[in-house]
Amino acid sequence: MEQEIKIRISVRNLVEFILRSGDIDSRRGGFAEKEAMQAGSRIHRKIQGRMGSNYRAEVPLSIEIPGHGYTLIVEGRADGIFTEESTKEADHCGEGSYTVIDEIKGVYRDVTLMQEPALLHLAQAKCYAYIHGKQEAFLQIGVQMTYCNLESEEIKRFRQDFSVEELEVWFLDVAGRYQKWAELQKEWRKVRQESLKKLVFPFPWREGQKEVASSVYRTMLRKKTLFIQAPTGTGKTISTIFPAVKAVGEGLAERIFYATAKTVTRTVAEDTYAILREQGMRLKSITLTAKEKICFLGKPECNPDACPYAKGHFDRVNDAVFDLISGCEVFDRSVLETYAQKWQVCPFEFGLDVSLWADAVICDYNYIFDPRAKLKRFFGEGVKGEYLFLIDEAHNLVERAREMFSAALYKEDFLALKKVIAPHSHKMSRALNRCNTWLLEQKRECEEIKIRSDIGTFPIYLMNLCGIMEDFLEDSRDTSLNERTLELYFQVRRFLDTCDLLNENYVIYTELCEDGRFQIRLYCVDVSENLQKCLDKGKSTIYFSATFLPIQYYKSLLSENPDAYAIYAHSVFSTDRRRIMIGTDTSSRYTSRSVQEYRKMAEYILALIEVKRGNYMAFFSSYRMMEEVAAQFEALTEEKGDPVCLLCQKTGMNETEREDFLKQFEQPHERGLAGFCVMGGIFGEGIDLRGDCLIGAVIVGTGLPQVCREREILKQFYDRRGQDGFFYAYLCPGMNKVLQSAGRVIRTEEDRGVILLLDERFQSSRYRSMFPAEWENFDYCTLRSVRGKAEHFWKRQV
């Protein structure tokens, strides 16, 4: 007998999906519906705590609705359920008491201006009222909407009474409108599961690859976390996606999230799913694209006056989604754009809705982790799911997460808006002035930088400002003024949301910046706790990278899971096809830098090119050093009459300029090509120059980040914890850039090339201990010996 499928949906997702209508409009409206994040949760707890002993908080509720071959489970948590004495007119329960469902919303705006509850908020409460009333066999039940201003804690309540019978008619209508979606889900799941059980690995297993894939599957089976150091060529993408897909086929999970920081790795993931489809896999996958990139207008203006796709978007979007998912399995950018044009809906918001029906989501990190951008459908408050997380190029997540979970405000922004808003809103002008004055007081106490233990009353002023801004934006029709107000509004909201995350993992500081501005910053140094909260929404996480050394460093920064474990995927490339050398007679230390030192670095690079003409890249710690060595290299080639082609990376290169730069490596250059780049930049990772496109890389310096105030704060943070602050703040980030740059050379089993590390510090055990295992056969050289060692290597390649 065929097993009945259970389809789950949260109360919030159900009502938002079925009942939304109208336009997208970011200019005004809807602010009453925008709950604060952690601040909202805190006010929930505070109100719940005041309600007395007959008030039950966070009550889980669910109801099963039978369908054809499936059961729809609608579930969620009611903020509160309480009873009160029945009146003669409202003796609904027959026991002298009356039950009320309480739905609490924390908002920044003035609640006294609210005339009625938001439609979707009320709909959620009515769902809970029906579920509870039905299960308790009540005849009638009350619904209370409680709105609380987060600054003043002023409360406004809206109360309605319903018969359970009328709620049943309403609820079954809403659930009935979801029926065709549930039917589609049921039928698709059968097709998907049948195909995944038959799926086999599409290639012959490389050495060690099967062990990696098996480790990934076992991790998912045990609901654990795994870190994989996987050098280029080990096939890490297919070795993680294939076992994840098989895990879905075995019922261990329902959805795969493949997250990465770069477009190129998102493309690799798309290609991997395409390969598996050629083997018979049936799996719906979506690639999410940033709003700024996919917007049909070029620059997002999300309101019905500026954008025809925003006008009536919610009236059409469900039909657009159903049309797409009924006949397509690959939801990439071009497909989403085609259907968005067909149905005249916003392609970005359309993509987010389609993701609900995808089995695999390919996206940037921020869709999972960023408090402001993460997919609330999957990762909102109280939402969990049967998710598998595949985090690619995970070495990038540390700094990205620090930015996601940090926030800053600048004094000058408050003053600038105050000047333009004064003729239009005295109330907002006063609120801006209060914030500006507080920041001015802190500025007077700050010489350059000041670490603070707290932020005093500043959040109260900011909450007041947020409420006034929301009220202003509700009524204002001045587009330019609204844009400026919204810009600061979102910065303030981000700051307030971050305030609610503050704990021992944060450093609060004020700073007089080099450009003359004054900022207050909430800096998240240790991101592990915040990341773990996000990943706890799913079942299992696989972190992987080609440069995940030392692995303990990344485990401590990316996970709080005590039983997370790690594996090392050994390189399949022959060490005979690569020569690694350390130049011991040069240094990039700041105190050693001179024209003579730059000249020596240029001589090293030219020596390699003279031994074997071809395409080389040289990576430097900074643009300044790159330019100094480039000047010496040009002088040297001119003196020798050796016209080697020299390319230098420029700051702020656009996509066309990047492509033109890389195209030069696909062209023949009779005397050779030297591409000078910056470590950690756009050419330092994620590019794939195979064969003779690149036969050597010179890494000039250890890649240590420049000493700056925030980097020193990071160092001192770990020193105070009794850990090695230099290791966390400088050494590991620097060596990661070195390893990434060096990884540009050997991309396939047929590639061959030279990697030259120029800095005497690479001799020390502290740096060498961070070399990957496949670098064990490195050699030392000097400017006098490098030519001979390079010649010896290339002769063996003939």
Side-chain angles (χ1 to χ4, degrees), residues 89-94 97-100 129 132-134 137-143 160-167:
E89 295 79 17
D91 189 5
H92 305 303
C93 301
S97 64
Y98 179 50
T99 298
V100 181
H132 188 61
K134 179 74 171 177
F138 293 156
L139 297 177
Q140 300 230 11
I141 193 167
V143 168
Q160 289 180 254
D161 299 328
F162 298 94
S163 71
V164 174
E165 184 178 0
E166 68 177 304
L167 285 176

Side-chain angles (χ1 to χ4, degrees), residues 775-786:
W775 281 22
E776 60 183 352
N777 294 325
F778 68 86
D779 196 6
Y780 295 113
C781 68
T782 64
L783 184 56
R784 293 183 63 181
S785 65
V786 67

Side-chain angles (χ1 to χ4, degrees), residues 481-516:
L481 195 57
N482 286 0
E483 276 188 15
R484 294 193 64 171
T485 304
L486 268 175
E487 186 177 355
L488 184 57
Y489 170 81
F490 287 126
Q491 291 173 17
V492 172
R493 280 289 301 265
R494 172 175 180 160
F495 192 91
L496 284 168
D497 290 339
T498 307
C499 283
D500 291 298
L501 297 172
L502 290 177
N503 57 19
E504 68 278 2
N505 298 318
Y506 279 78
V507 174
I508 306 168
Y509 68 91
T510 52
E511 179 186 24
L512 281 167
C513 305
E514 292 182 2
D515 61 5

Side-chain angles (χ1 to χ4, degrees), residues 30-101:
F31 286 108
E33 299 175 24
K34 292 180 181 176
E35 267 195 284
M37 294 170 9
Q38 281 76 16
S41 300
R42 191 183 64 237
I43 209 71
H44 275 58
R45 294 190 293 272
K46 200 166 187 178
I47 293 172
Q48 289 163 344
R50 295 172 181 163
M51 294 298 290
S53 58
N54 70 335
Y55 188 97
R56 291 186 292 146
E58 303 299 328
V59 181
L61 294 170
S62 68
I63 191 168
E64 295 189 359
I65 304 170
H68 299 295
Y70 69 90
T71 299
L72 178 65
I73 302 173
V74 182
E75 56 193 355
R77 285 179 179 270
D79 291 333
I81 299 177
F82 63 94
T83 56
E84 59 184 27
E85 290 303 310
S86 298
T87 62
K88 211 170 194 181
E89 295 79 17
D91 189 5
H92 305 303
C93 301
E95 297 292 337
S97 64
Y98 179 50
T99 298
V100 181
I101 300 293

Side-chain angles (χ1 to χ4, degrees), residues 68 144 204 214 251 303 333 393 408 434 447 496 544 606 760:
H68 299 295
Q144 176 173 282
S214 298
N303 67 76
R333 177 174 175 175
E393 300 295 339
R434 192 180 300 120
E447 294 183 7
L496 284 168
F544 52 105
L606 186 57
E760 45 84 21

Side-chain angles (χ1 to χ4, degrees), residues 512-525:
L512 281 167
C513 305
E514 292 182 2
D515 61 5
R517 295 192 299 166
F518 178 74
Q519 73 161 333
I520 180 166
R521 181 158 168 79
L522 313 177
Y523 180 35
C524 186
V525 180

Side-chain angles (χ1 to χ4, degrees), residues 585-763:
D585 58 346
T586 185
S587 176
S588 67
R589 292 179 191 269
Y590 188 78
T591 53
S592 301
R593 294 178 188 179
S594 64
V595 173
Q596 293 77 16
E597 204 66 31
Y598 297 141
R599 173 85 174 192
K600 184 182 286 186
M601 294 169 181
E603 288 176 329
Y604 260 112
I605 298 167
L606 186 57
L608 286 186
I609 297 173
E610 288 175 341
V611 168
K612 173 73 173 177
R613 299 289 173 174
N615 299 339
Y616 293 78
M617 278 188 168
F619 295 93
F620 300 86
S621 297
S622 66
Y623 279 98
R624 174 70 184 274
M625 180 181 283
M626 180 188 76
E627 290 161 0
E628 294 283 4
V629 177
Q632 294 301 317
F633 186 85
E634 286 184 312
L636 191 61
T637 54
E638 191 174 331
E639 290 168 17
K640 291 193 169 192
D642 190 357
V644 175
C645 180
L646 174 64
L647 294 176
C648 287
Q649 178 181 341
K650 297 174 184 171
T651 56
M653 294 174 81
N654 60 36
E655 203 162 324
T656 302
E657 290 171 326
R658 296 179 199 177
E659 290 174 0
D660 290 344
F661 186 96
L662 291 174
K663 280 178 184 176
Q664 288 297 314
F665 287 85
E666 299 170 6
Q667 310 297 324
H669 297 273
E670 184 182 348
R671 304 301 296 173
L673 169 66
F676 280 25
C677 309
V678 176
M679 273 187 263
I682 53 177
F683 304 116
E685 62 176 293
I687 62 168
D688 204 17
L689 298 172
R690 303 184 175 202
D692 290 336
C693 290
L694 188 69
I695 63 169
V698 182
I699 319 298
V700 183
T702 56
L704 302 186
Q706 286 188 316
V707 176
C708 65
R709 292 168 181 171
E710 189 158 278
R711 192 57 54 174
E712 283 297 292
I713 287 172
L714 200 160
K715 176 181 179 296
Q716 292 161 15
F717 176 90
Y718 284 103
D719 283 339
R720 285 195 301 272
R721 285 189 169 186
Q723 297 170 283
D724 186 345
F726 178 80
F727 177 82
Y728 278 90
Y730 294 100
L731 186 57
C732 283
M735 282 302 294
N736 188 274
K737 288 189 285 185
V738 169
L739 298 178
Q740 281 289 336
S741 300
R744 299 313 95 210
V745 181
I746 306 295
R747 308 298 298 172
T748 72
E749 293 181 59
E750 289 73 41
D751 288 359
R752 53 200 181 138
V754 174
I755 298 168
L756 176 60
L757 309 176
L758 289 185
D759 197 295
E760 45 84 21
R761 284 174 285 182
F762 287 119
Q763 297 178 86

